[in-house]
RNA sequence: GCGAGCUUGGCGGAAUGGUAGACGCACAGGACUUAAAAUCCUGAGUCCAUAACGGACGUGCGGGUUCAAGUCCCGCAGCUCGCACCA
């Protein structure tokens, strides 16, 4: 048996050992207030919801962040890299209802399981900073911020439509309503008006939009998604008086205001359309059963995208007519139309069929006459007519009285000016962004720190009475909000008048919890939400890593909260995340049996004839590669991988296969290949440590083999560093493979001069470069090479020596008319004429140049000679 | 409908405008072994051709710029994702 066959990396012992060493030395701890003499770097991954199970998506996310954190540490930065738990939310309550476990206990047990997994994966986290958002120490501070938001005028309580589940007696989020039914109860969902708490994010609409421009290190598509979500549009509001208002209309209902981005098309108006939820429609429904029916039908229509897509334009004529500000001899009908949205603009539009496809469809359907008021560029007025396609492009105004002949842009300005003079309209900026409703009628969330007093109204809980803690003796057997049902919790005395009063029983949307946790991490035990020097010392987060699914909500809310906190002097930055990286999903093949049931990967076996089920031998269909999910049973538990192959294997594989922003496929072959490589790396370094004792190393003249190895070593240092700067972990890993092979091959020429030095150098640098990726093995390798000295995590990142990277010979491509015809080998930086001379003497080139004239010769030093010929 | 991204061998992918296919997977052949596993070595874009040398084609498709294009520009197609009756 050869010596090498028994050398085997024992990952279990290594992981336990190095974990302890790092902990003991507090390697990853940093102070609340960063040392001003050391550059700071704040790395953060989106903190997890403690479901109890770590999945491969987490492994990929946190490994990416950890590589950055370890790399920056080695480069001399003081790195803040914390971890916590987004611990409020409905699953804990569901567990309580179905299994009788208290949400707190369930959550804390899940956290313990997941924390243990994260520790095994070797992430360089500052665990002292850990917190869970469900702890009063955290949400109590959040309540302080909330009270200040009230003082700042950024909180509002108002009526709003919600999805109400009449069985569970709770409000549901849109995504919890499936086909119009509650996701848990299956009961038809009702639209209900409830008093809700809102955070006035719309007050920051413009700054949030402007701020996107500074975010140079955010993915373009995330910025575009946010921009569209905020949705700024410029236009005008125009008020139309009703000609014949019904007698039961009060003054507010006697006119209808519309929002338009095309005031220039006002002369093309054919009708006015209001939303089924518009106050005028609601009032009319009271006395008109047909209108009430129509509105009810509109509400029944599904809200799914597909339903909207297919829904045809429908409406009902209200019989009400309005006057046109500039067309005195004509009035226009007011229709209720199913395509007008109540929550955008004013809930009413004027219909201009020639310039809007929806309006055109509507006019055709109900035979409403209209005029064409915009002539496209280059069209003849007497020949141009609208058929079935509206013209939404700018052009020249026609049939439009005082606007005639003006361009669309000029006409808009002229019209708005006229409307403003007449005091019936004005220029406005309209936003798609709406205020953030944060009320949830649930138990497991941060209580909104407010008291309702019959005498004093709404009274914020005074700071010295915070936190408002969740009661622990809660009954989940009744439907509805357990806080509402609790016998004593909500009954308190008013902080003002000391009379009997009631606590607010709504809790916060969990997105609130995650909107400032990154600031709290800088001083997690501070007695105020943040500590001045800590938060301003560490913020902003230099690199944020997470999933694209949070491109809008979480990231927008966090940006808003940071601005609000800045306004309230909690901190001094506007943008919380200087750089954002969004990683792809982890996918896996899916499998189905003959009955179409999903089959888990561990139940199948692949044979030459295809896949079969292990226990029964029945044939299995191999399906598409899909995102790992429980429902498709195609998940691989990180715990089983870590137990079989070790944490380093899992880490290396999730990084090695493809660029991190793309979706990756988890494969058994990939894992075993990774595991094989790591064993080879271990053997390679082990052999160096055995064959090249430290004492034998002298810096002696280098043989070709030795200087070749040194060149590869230094080129690898440069390439890996460069790849890490560009988040190209897969490329870095390819280069580490190359260095490993080169070092392995070098064993053959170990007797050459200078080889001891070159091999040691390669091995040491290889160990260092591997540190961010496979931290346990890197320490093990370093300890083989230089036992009981500094750990990898204590050593600086290697710096490439450029003078050693230069080649001793270069291969130059010889092209004829840009086509490769031969290559020649020269010394580097040989002078142009000599290279060209050599090139022309090359047999293959002579052949190609025969009978032709060289018109031009291109020379790119050390790379290319290109002969441009004719004939 | 609007927007973004992607398209390179059997597969994942690499490539500051300068030798396309690095690195890895899968595959094939060989060494070691009683055998297997593990390990090591070798091969491989496609097509044509050969004893050998060699040649043509080739980065979704069609154009363009350039001495030179996977890379830059214009147009098109397909796939993926996001938003979606936003007036």
């Amino acid at each position: 048996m050869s010596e090498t066959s028994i050398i085997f990396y024992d990952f279990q012992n290594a992981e336990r050992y190095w974990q302890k060493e790092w902990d003991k030395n507090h390697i990853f701890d940093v102070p609340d207030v960063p040392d001003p003499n050391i550059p700071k770097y704040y790395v953060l991954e989106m903190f997890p919801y403690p479901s109890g199970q770590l999945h491969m998506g987490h492994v990929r996310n946190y490994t990416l962040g950890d590589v950055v954190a370890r790399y920056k540490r080695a480069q001399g930065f003081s790195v803040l890299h914390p971890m916590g738990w987004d611990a409020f939310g409905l699953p804990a309550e569901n567990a309580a209802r179905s299994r009788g476990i208290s949400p707190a206990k369930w959550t804390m047990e899940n956290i313990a399981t997941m924390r243990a997994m994260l520790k095994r994966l070797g992430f360089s986290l500052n665990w002292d900073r850990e917190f869970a958002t469900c702890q009063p120490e955290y949400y109590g501070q959040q309540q302080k911020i909330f009270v200040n938001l009230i003082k700042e005028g950024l909180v509002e309580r108002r009526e709003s439509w919600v999805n109400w589940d009449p069985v569970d007696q709770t409000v549901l989020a849109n995504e919890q309503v499936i086909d119009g039914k509650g996701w848990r109860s299956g009961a038809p969902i009702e639209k209900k008006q409830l008093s809700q708490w809102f955070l006035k994010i719309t007050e920051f609409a413009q700054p949030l939009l402007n701020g996107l421009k500074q975010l140079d290190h955010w993915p373009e598509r995330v910025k575009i998604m946010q921009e569209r979500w905020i949705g700024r549009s410029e236009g005008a509001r125009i008020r139309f008086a009703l000609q014949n208002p019904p007698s039961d209309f009060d003054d507010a209902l006697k006119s209808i205001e519309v929002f338009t981005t095309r005031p220039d098309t006002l002369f093309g108006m054919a009708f006015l359309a209001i939303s089924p939820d518009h106050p005028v429609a609601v009032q009319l429904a009271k006395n008109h059963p047909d209108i009430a029916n129509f509105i009810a039908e509109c509400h029944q229509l599904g809200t799914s995208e597909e339903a909207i897509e297919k829904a045809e334009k429908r409406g009902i004529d209200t019989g009400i007519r309005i006057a046109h500000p500039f067309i005195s001899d004509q009035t226009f009908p007011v229709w209720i139309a199913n395509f007008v949205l109540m929550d955008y603009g004013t809930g009413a539009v004027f219909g201009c069929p020639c310039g809007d496809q929806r309006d055109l469809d509507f006019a055709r359907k109900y035979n409403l006459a209209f005029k064409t008021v915009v002539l496209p560029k280059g069209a003849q007025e007497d020949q141009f007519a609208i058929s079935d396609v509206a013209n939404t492009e700018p052009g020249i105004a026609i049939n439009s009285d005082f606007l005639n002949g003006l361009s669309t842009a000029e006409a808009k300005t002229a019209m708005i000016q006229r409307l403003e003079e007449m005091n019936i309209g004005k220029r406005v900026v309209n936003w798609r962004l709406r205020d953030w409703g944060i009320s949830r009628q649930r138990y497991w969330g941060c209580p909104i720190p407010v008291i309702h007093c019959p005498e004093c109204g709404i009274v914020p809980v005074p700071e010295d009475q915070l936190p408002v803690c969740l009661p622990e003796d809660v009954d989940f057997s009744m439907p509805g909000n357990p806080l509402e049902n609790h016998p004593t919790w909500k009954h308190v005395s008013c902080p003002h008048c000391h009379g009997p009063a009631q606590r607010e029983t709504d809790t916060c949307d969990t997105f609130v919890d995650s909107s400032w946790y990154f600031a709290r991490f800088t001083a997690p035990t501070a007695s105020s939400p943040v500590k001045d020097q800590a938060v301003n010392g560490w913020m902003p987060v230099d690199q944020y890593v997470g999933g694209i699914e949070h491109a809008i909500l979480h990231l927008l809310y966090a940006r808003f909260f940071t601005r609000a906190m800045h306004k309230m002097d909690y901190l001094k930055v506007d943008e919380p995340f200087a750089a954002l990286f969004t990683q792809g999903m982890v996918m896996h093949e899916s499998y189905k049996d003959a009955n179409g049931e999903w089959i888990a990967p561990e139940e199948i076996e692949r044979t030459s004839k295809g896949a079969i089920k292990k226990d029964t031998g029945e044939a299995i269909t191999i399906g598409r590669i899909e995102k790992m999910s429980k429902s498709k049973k195609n998940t691989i538990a990180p715990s089983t991988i870590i137990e079989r192959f070790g944490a380093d294997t899992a880490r290396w594989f999730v990084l090695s296969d493809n660029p991190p922003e793309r979706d990756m496929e988890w494969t058994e072959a990939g894992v075993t290949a990774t595991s094989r490589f790591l064993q080879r790396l271990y053997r390679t370094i082990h052999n160096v440590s055995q064959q090249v004792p430290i004492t034998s190393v002298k810096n002696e003249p280098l043989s070709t083999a030795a200087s070749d190895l040194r060149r590869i070593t230094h080129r690898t240092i440069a390439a890996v560093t460069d790849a890490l700067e560009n988040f190209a972990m897969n490329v870095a890993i390819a280069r580490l493979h190359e260095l490993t092979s080169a070092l392995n091959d070098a064993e053959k020429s170990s007797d050459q001069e200078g080889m001891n030095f070159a091999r040691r150098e390669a091995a040491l640098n290889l160990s260092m470069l591997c540190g961010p990726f496979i931290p346990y093995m890197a320490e093990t390798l370093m300890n083989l090479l230089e036992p009981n000295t500094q750990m990898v995590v204590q050593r600086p990142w290697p710096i490439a020596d450029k003078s050693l990277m230069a080649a001793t010979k270069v291969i130059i491509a010889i092209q004829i008319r840009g086509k490769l015809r031969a290559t020649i080998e020269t010394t580097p930086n040989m002078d142009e004429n000599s290279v060209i001379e050599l090139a022309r003497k090359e047999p293959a080139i002579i052949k190609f140049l025969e009978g032709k004239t060289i018109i031009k010769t291109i020379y790119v030093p050390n790379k290319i000679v290109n002969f441009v010929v004719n004939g």
Side-chain angles (χ1 to χ4, degrees):
Chain A
M1 194 181 283
S2 74
E3 196 200 347
T4 51
S5 65
I6 54 166
I7 297 167
F8 193 79
Y9 171 59
D10 176 3
F11 63 82
Q12 274 162 345
N13 276 327
E15 289 176 11
R16 269 194 294 273
Y17 181 81
W18 294 112
Q19 187 74 62
K20 272 197 209 122
E21 288 298 307
W22 296 333
D23 281 353
K24 204 168 74 191
N25 291 287
H26 299 282
I27 297 289
F28 309 122
D29 295 356
V30 286
D32 280 0
V33 179
D35 184 338
N37 300 312
I38 307 173
K40 71 96 184 176
Y41 199 88
Y42 186 177
V43 185
L44 186 68
E45 303 97 29
M46 292 177 184
F47 67 163
Y49 176 78
S51 64
Q53 311 218 313
L54 202 74
H55 52 73
M56 279 304 171
H58 291 124
V59 175
R60 198 172 190 212
N61 190 176
Y62 299 139
T63 302
L64 276 167
D66 196 49
V67 168
V68 175
R70 285 176 177 271
Y71 167 64
K72 289 289 175 183
R73 271 197 78 254
Q75 285 204 320
F77 289 87
S78 178
V79 173
L80 174 59
H81 188 207
M83 180 56 71
W85 310 94
D86 189 12
F88 274 135
L90 206 52
E93 262 179 82
N94 294 340
R97 279 180 211 276
S98 61
R99 285 184 277 153
I101 313 168
S102 96
K105 185 161 182 277
W106 183 84
T107 304
M108 293 322 270
E109 283 173 8
N110 287 347
I111 287 175
T113 311
M114 292 175 74
R115 182 197 297 117
M117 287 296 296
L118 292 180
K119 288 199 169 175
R120 285 188 70 177
L121 280 159
F123 297 132
S124 61
L125 294 160
N126 187 174
W127 279 105
D128 291 349
R129 294 176 181 276
E130 177 190 7
F131 60 74
T133 56
C134 64
Q135 293 164 326
E137 293 78 7
Y138 182 79
Y139 70 72
Q141 300 299 333
Q142 184 164 305
Q143 290 168 340
K144 286 186 199 169
I145 299 175
F146 189 89
V147 168
N148 277 326
L149 285 168
I150 296 176
K151 288 182 192 154
E152 198 67 37
L154 289 172
V155 180
E156 200 170 81
R157 190 172 157 82
R158 59 171 178 258
E159 295 270 305
S160 120
W161 291 99
V162 293
N163 302 310
W164 180 256
D165 184 324
V167 172
D168 281 354
Q169 296 202 7
T170 185
V171 168
L172 297 181
N174 285 335
E175 55 271 24
Q176 291 168 334
V177 181
I178 298 156
D179 292 334
K181 295 185 177 120
W183 66 313
R184 291 185 70 234
S185 69
I189 293 308
E190 298 167 2
K191 285 274 177 188
K192 196 171 161 177
Q193 283 234 321
L194 273 189
S195 264
Q196 302 274 300
W197 291 95
F198 285 86
L199 296 185
K200 293 208 240 167
I201 189 171
T202 52
E203 299 221 337
F204 288 80
Q206 191 68 58
L208 285 168
L209 185 63
N210 295 346
L212 291 171
K213 292 192 194 86
Q214 309 158 22
L215 298 174
D216 297 332
H217 302 285
W218 276 42
E220 205 57 38
R221 60 174 174 151
V222 173
K223 287 191 280 186
I224 291 167
M225 280 157 89
Q226 292 216 350
E227 190 182 322
R228 292 172 64 123
W229 188 263
I230 294 168
R232 184 192 150 104
S233 68
E234 292 178 7
R237 287 195 177 208
I238 308 171
R239 182 166 288 282
F240 294 91
L242 307 192
Q243 287 296 88
N244 52 341
S247 55
D248 60 335
F249 272 31
D250 62 23
D251 283 350
L253 292 176
K254 285 181 181 160
S255 66
I256 294 174
E257 196 175 33
V258 303
F259 171 71
T260 179
T261 56
R262 293 295 301 272
D264 60 298
T265 63
L266 191 54
F267 284 99
M269 175 170 174
F271 58 94
L272 193 138
I274 61 174
S275 160
D277 295 320
H278 193 278
V280 166
V282 173
Q283 183 63 30
L284 286 170
K286 289 177 184 162
N287 299 320
H288 297 82
D290 53 337
I291 290 179
N293 277 340
F294 177 77
I295 294 173
E297 279 171 37
C298 292
H299 284 161
Q300 269 172 12
L301 262 178
T303 50
S304 72
E305 289 170 14
E306 211 184 332
I308 292 167
E309 178 80 20
K310 287 178 185 156
E312 75 180 307
K313 310 264 175 289
R314 291 180 55 217
I316 185 167
D317 190 347
T318 62
I320 296 175
R321 297 191 76 86
I322 51 113
H324 191 287
F326 306 109
I327 306 174
S328 49
D329 57 347
Q330 209 183 338
T331 63
F332 293 89
V334 176
W335 286 66
I336 299 170
N338 67 343
F339 64 88
V340 181
L341 306 173
M342 189 57 221
D343 43 17
Y344 184 78
T346 61
V349 297
F350 77 79
C352 173
C354 78
D356 185 287
Q357 193 60 46
R358 292 158 304 185
D359 297 344
L360 180 61
D361 294 346
F362 195 80
R364 293 275 188 240
K365 174 160 177 152
Y366 293 106
N367 286 319
L368 304 169
F370 64 89
K371 284 190 296 190
T372 299
V373 292
V374 179
L375 187 66
K377 283 191 189 81
Q380 292 293 322
E381 185 169 344
D382 51 356
Q383 284 162 23
F384 180 72
I386 296 285
S387 56
D388 290 328
V389 181
N391 168 38
T392 56
E393 298 299 313
I396 302 296
I398 53 172
N399 299 322
S400 295
D401 193 350
F402 62 92
L403 300 179
N404 283 342
L406 298 181
S407 72
T408 296
E410 293 163 345
K412 282 182 185 177
T413 308
M415 177 55 90
I416 291 172
Q417 198 181 346
R418 187 68 75 94
L419 292 168
E420 285 178 342
E421 283 164 15
M422 295 165 70
N423 208 21
I424 52 168
K426 63 179 179 211
R427 180 185 295 279
V428 292
V429 172
N430 195 60
W431 301 90
R432 183 181 178 278
L433 182 69
R434 273 168 270 145
D435 280 334
W436 174 16
I438 58 153
S439 282
R440 298 292 181 269
Q441 286 68 37
R442 300 210 181 95
Y443 166 74
W444 197 232
C446 168
I448 291 175
V450 160
I451 289 165
H452 299 271
C453 173
E455 297 300 321
C456 315
I458 288 169
V459 183
V461 176
E463 184 156 333
D464 60 7
Q465 290 174 33
L466 294 175
V468 176
C469 289
L470 289 167
E472 282 167 34
D473 50 334
V474 189
D475 182 2
F476 284 100
S477 63
M478 284 190 276
N481 182 352
L483 291 178
E484 185 72 39
N485 298 336
H486 192 279
T488 57
W489 184 79
K490 68 179 173 184
H491 301 291
V492 288
S493 57
C494 170
H496 267 187
C497 68
H498 305 290
Q502 292 209 334
R503 279 197 194 289
E504 172 63 63
T505 55
D506 284 355
T507 52
C508 287
D509 179 3
T510 56
F511 274 122
V512 177
D513 312 336
S514 54
S515 289
W516 71 287
Y517 77 109
F518 44 86
R520 182 69 183 169
F521 271 138
T522 62
T525 59
S527 56
S528 51
V530 292
K531 196 159 87 187
D532 218 28
Q533 284 177 298
V535 75
N536 291 319
W538 286 110
M539 286 294 287
V541 173
D542 294 281
Q543 182 65 61
Y544 199 35
V545 187
I548 188 72
E549 66 273 20
H550 293 111
I552 297 176
L553 295 184
H554 162 57
L555 291 168
L556 191 63
Y557 293 149
R559 294 181 60 224
F560 158 62
F561 236 76
T562 302
R563 285 184 148 74
M565 287 176 78
H566 188 178
K567 198 175 175 195
M568 296 184 290
D569 277 333
Y570 283 114
L571 43 72
K572 291 192 167 66
V573 296
D574 280 329
E575 289 294 340
F577 312 122
L580 172 70
F581 188 88
T582 53
Q583 90 275 359
M585 297 184 292
V586 183
M587 322 275 279
H588 196 281
E589 259 181 352
S590 57
Y591 311 101
K592 272 186 179 175
D593 68 11
N595 303 323
E597 299 287 326
W598 298 103
I599 304 295
E602 58 270 18
E603 291 179 76
I604 68 140
E605 195 177 332
R606 308 201 62 153
T607 68
S608 52
K609 292 178 200 119
I612 57 162
K613 199 150 178 260
K614 268 184 197 164
D615 48 356
T616 62
E618 88 180 272
I620 295 296
T621 313
I622 299 175
R624 297 203 318 175
I625 297 160
E626 309 234 30
K627 181 186 180 180
M628 282 190 183
S629 75
K630 275 186 199 154
S631 62
K632 298 197 173 73
K633 285 197 180 178
N634 64 341
T635 57
I636 302 291
S639 55
T640 63
I641 300 301
I642 294 171
E643 269 151 40
R644 275 178 66 199
F645 301 100
D648 286 333
T649 297
R651 293 175 60 121
W652 186 269
F653 179 51
V654 294
L655 297 173
S656 65
D657 212 38
N658 65 356
E661 66 274 15
R662 291 197 207 165
D663 293 344
M664 73 165 290
E665 188 193 355
W666 184 277
T667 60
E668 177 79 12
V671 184
T672 51
T674 299
S675 180
R676 273 205 307 271
F677 169 75
L678 293 186
Q679 292 295 348
R680 192 161 86 98
L681 171 62
Y682 180 79
R683 279 197 309 275
T684 302
I685 303 278
H686 181 269
N687 291 350
V688 173
S689 72
Q690 294 293 299
Q691 297 165 13
V692 192
I694 303 174
T695 49
S696 77
V697 172
K698 291 191 291 288
N699 201 347
E700 52 197 344
L702 298 180
S703 57
T704 307
S707 63
D708 283 350
L709 181 56
R710 293 202 70 189
R711 185 168 57 251
I712 294 168
T713 299
H714 285 268
R715 284 184 170 182
T716 304
I717 295 169
V720 170
T721 306
D722 188 56
L724 286 178
E725 289 293 336
N726 293 305
F727 249 90
M729 315 317 182
N730 56 325
V731 180
I733 282 176
R735 299 288 91 85
L736 292 171
H737 268 279
E738 286 170 342
L739 181 55
T740 306
S741 293
L743 180 56
N744 208 26
D745 292 347
E747 197 173 325
K748 289 178 208 137
S749 41
S750 56
D751 54 344
Q752 306 269 316
E753 218 171 4
M755 211 47 176
N756 280 344
F757 180 86
R759 286 176 76 195
R760 274 251 153 208
E761 181 187 47
L764 281 168
N765 282 297
L766 180 55
S767 306
M768 279 306 297
L769 295 174
C770 283
F773 303 91
I774 41 173
Y776 294 118
M777 181 176 274
E779 296 293 2
T780 308
L781 301 178
M782 186 59 79
N783 196 51
L784 286 174
L785 293 166
E786 296 189 347
N788 306 313
T789 57
Q790 282 190 310
M791 292 187 279
V792 168
V793 289
Q794 292 166 317
R795 294 177 185 233
W797 190 250
I799 294 168
D801 183 340
K802 287 211 174 75
S803 66
L804 294 167
M805 285 163 60
T808 52
K809 58 187 183 195
V810 292
I811 293 168
I812 294 182
I814 317 295
Q815 300 179 336
I816 292 184
R817 278 202 197 122
K819 267 186 182 260
L820 180 72
R821 293 302 179 191
T823 56
I824 56 169
E825 196 179 298
T826 70
T827 54
N829 309 315
M830 188 186 273
D831 75 283
E832 180 170 346
N833 289 338
S834 316
V835 175
I836 290 169
E837 203 52 37
L838 278 175
R840 295 185 67 155
K841 282 188 203 145
E842 192 64 17
I845 299 303
I846 293 168
K847 198 176 79 186
F848 274 100
L849 289 179
E850 226 164 80
K852 300 192 175 78
T853 324
I854 297 174
I855 326 171
K856 194 173 174 185
T857 303
I858 313 286
Y859 174 64
V860 182
N862 300 322
K863 290 242 166 90
I864 292 271
V865 174
N866 188 9
F867 295 115
V868 186
V869 297
N870 64 10

